[in-house]
Amino acid sequence: MFKLTSPPRMFAIISLLMIVAMVVGTGLIQAPFFRQAIIEREAVIVRDMVNALASERGLAASDLQNYTHANASRRLNQSFNALKMLSGTARIKVFSPDGTIIWSDDPDLVGTKTTTHLDRLTRAMGGEVLAKFNPVATNIDMLEQGSPIPATIECYVPIFSRETDEGASSVIGVLSLYRDPQDLNRTIEHGLYLLWGVIGGAGLVLFLALYQLFSLVYNRQRNAESKFSKLTVEHERIVQIEKMSAMGELVGEIAHQLNNPLVGVINLTQLAERQVQNPQRVAELLAEVRKAGTECRDIVQRILRINQISRSAPQPTDIKELVRDTITFCHQSIALHHAVDFVAPDEKVMLNVDPVLIRQALFNLIHNAILAAPDKQVHVKLAFAEHEGVPGIVLGVTDAGSGFTSEAAALLFKPFFTTRSNGTGLGLPVAQHIVMKHGGAILAKNLPVGGASFSIWLPSITTL
């Protein structure tokens, strides 16, 4: 079921709201610019028409100065009466240079100086064409009996004359025209509808394209997550199978290790039963049974020691001192023909590790190196080194033995695998488990000059 809060639906809602806001906002912002551009254009048209009419009727500066004379009044009427035919015209005023109204469609205004926009009148006298939209009610006559109209378009256009000797034009008066903005508003409204339609259509196309893209990416992400989830479950199942397989293999090895001495115990007890009349022989057989039992006990204890490795107590440890203590312990517990050589940097090396476990891992490597070549010297080296780009330290143990074969290399860290007749096969697996528990790695390689090198790498920052 498609939920209300699903990402595709949320994307669609937010996108549509943004498109609506963009369309409405664009219309509201553009409307004033459209209106001003239109009224400025119409003001220029009015200027050209007024000056064309004035020129055609021969209107001169003297007519504006003597506007009360019959001839001047006739020419003024002939020049500006045609403006009354313009649609939406609300009031027409013609000002002389001193600001007196010399002609108007309302005769009561002639001879007065009624205007609230002296600044606009002054600028128009300078030759500018001014257009202004008044959105609020305005009393265009500034008379007590005048009634305000809701909104107006107010234009101030200069009236030019070419009577100078140089033929240059000069401003002889200003005409102000007030018009009802209904026609203009309808034009702007149609323009806004067209603008909103274009922007809305483009926004809708963009929305559909983005929605399709988002849905495609979202569905692919969901499919990828679903597949990854299935892979994760499958991976966990495979890991579990591998764990069970490893456990079965370990149990098989343990059973094999225990089976040999137990078979001997059974055989020896059967012999003892047949030799019951020979006490001396029975005593010898019982001694063999005790030896086999001791071997079984040792195997079980070694397995228990592996389990104890899982418990650790990390603490700041001086690695150089730890190596020296381990080498001293080797000298005391193993018959050595040569002292173990140790090389380390001069500075102090501190790591947060479990010293007991690291000492056990290092002892196992040194012990194996001594057994590999009892008559040769074993070398231990401590150095700073990176592993896969991570800074840390490396403890290298090198022997002068015969090394290991490629077949043995694949089994070095397998529990109970050993190449010595009296080996337990647990030294290297225990060392590897300890090192991995500290976030490190144990590396093994044959040396070109003979012998083998086993290295313990530990990160500078260990986590247990």
Side-chain angles (χ1 to χ4, degrees), residues 114-192:
T114 54
T115 181
T116 57
H117 303 297
L118 292 176
D119 56 333
R120 298 177 189 173
L121 186 60
T122 302
R123 291 170 61 185
M125 288 293 182
E128 285 189 62
V129 177
L130 302 176
K132 177 70 176 177
F133 175 71
N134 297 317
V136 297
T138 305
N139 189 340
I140 60 177
D141 296 335
M142 294 302 294
L143 297 176
E144 294 182 1
Q145 70 274 21
S147 58
I149 60 176
T152 57
I153 299 173
E154 188 176 352
C155 299
Y156 288 83
V157 298
I159 303 172
F160 297 99
S161 173
R162 299 183 179 274
E163 295 179 350
T164 58
D165 296 337
E166 293 81 3
S169 61
S170 61
V171 178
I172 59 175
V174 171
L175 181 139
S176 65
L177 177 65
Y178 297 83
R179 300 181 64 190
D180 188 337
Q182 288 186 3
D183 292 339
L184 174 63
N185 288 339
R186 281 194 294 269
T187 302
I188 293 175
E189 184 177 342
H190 293 159
L192 286 179

